[in-house]
């Protein structure tokens, strides 16, 4: 598996979880809390491992700097939104609008990443390099989760 497939697999998982979160109705606080935690457990390790393995590899070649920095910024924004949702959940505040904002922000980020950054990366890295990155990415996620 190459890094692109590994990232897409995670993207689909997070999209599915966010869709479920946004679809929740009032009164499903336990499910909301569990989904927020599951999203956190998927999103944070994914973002950090992606930055360390994929984004830093692109930066090392010193090309597409603006795209990569934009990706970092979007990761930070998503993590901030997620942390805000966690805080709101602790006080049982309605976080539906924030969940929708997080979902929209991540859908935008995923679309940009899969179309623009992946395109650049496919010109920079061989298939073998992309496979090594996928292995490193998958190995790093559990370490970050801990």
């Amino acid at each position: 598996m190459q890094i692109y497939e590994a990232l897409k697999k995670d993207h689909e998982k997070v999209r599915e979880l966010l869709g479920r979160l946004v679809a929740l109705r009032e009164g499903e606080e336990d499910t909301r809390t569990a989904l927020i935690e599951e999203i956190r457990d998927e999103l944070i390790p994914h973002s950090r491992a992606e930055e360390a393995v994929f984004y830093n590899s692109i930066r090392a070649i010193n090309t597409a700097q603006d795209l990569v920095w934009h990706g970092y910024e979007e990761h930070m924004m998503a993590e901030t939104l997620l942390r805000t949702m966690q805080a709101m959940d602790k006080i049982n505040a309605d976080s539906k609008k924030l969940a929708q904002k997080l979902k929209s922000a991540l859908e935008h980020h995923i679309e940009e990443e899969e179309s623009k950054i992946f395109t650049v990366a496919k010109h920079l890295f061989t298939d073998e390099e992309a496979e090594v990155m996928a292995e490193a990415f998958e190995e790093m996620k559990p370490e970050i989760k801990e």
Side-chain angles (χ1 to χ4, degrees), residues 14-26:
V14 170
R15 276 185 174 142
E16 185 265 329
L17 292 169
L18 286 166
R20 288 175 40 205
L21 181 65
V22 169
L24 287 177
R25 289 184 227 109
E26 194 173 322

Side-chain angles (χ1 to χ4, degrees), residues 15-140:
R15 276 185 174 142
E16 185 265 329
L17 292 169
L18 286 166
R20 288 175 40 205
L21 181 65
V22 169
L24 287 177
R25 289 184 227 109
E26 194 173 322
E28 296 182 284
E29 286 79 16
D30 291 343
T31 303
R32 181 181 67 211
T33 300
L35 277 171
I36 290 171
E37 289 174 3
E38 194 173 349
I39 291 166
R40 177 202 62 213
D41 289 349
E42 291 291 329
L43 185 63
I44 302 302
H46 168 89
S47 295
R48 303 263 168 85
E50 179 179 54
E51 290 167 0
V53 173
F54 187 55
Y55 285 9
N56 285 345
S57 295
I58 294 170
R59 281 185 41 226
I61 297 174
N62 197 26
T63 186
Q65 294 291 318
D66 291 342
L67 276 177
V68 172
W69 284 117
H70 184 69
Y72 280 113
E73 289 171 356
E74 289 181 341
H75 282 178
M76 288 181 349
M77 183 181 75
E79 187 171 336
T80 300
L81 289 170
L82 180 60
R83 299 288 184 200
T84 303
M85 278 182 47
Q86 286 180 288
M88 290 177 73
D89 188 54
K90 296 240 185 283
I91 60 170
N92 288 324
D94 181 17
S95 59
K96 188 133 184 120
K97 286 182 184 176
L98 197 54
Q100 187 61 48
K101 186 174 181 177
L102 177 61
K103 183 177 184 288
S104 295
L106 282 172
E107 286 174 345
H108 165 79
H109 170 70
I110 290 167
E111 174 59 35
E112 269 190 353
E113 187 172 272
E114 290 182 2
S115 64
K116 295 178 182 178
I117 296 177
F118 283 16
T119 300
V120 168
K122 286 177 181 180
H123 291 286
L124 298 175
F125 305 117
T126 65
D127 290 346
E128 293 80 20
E129 290 168 327
E131 289 169 8
V132 169
M133 279 190 267
E135 290 172 22
F137 170 76
E138 292 296 347
E139 287 176 15
M140 188 176 284

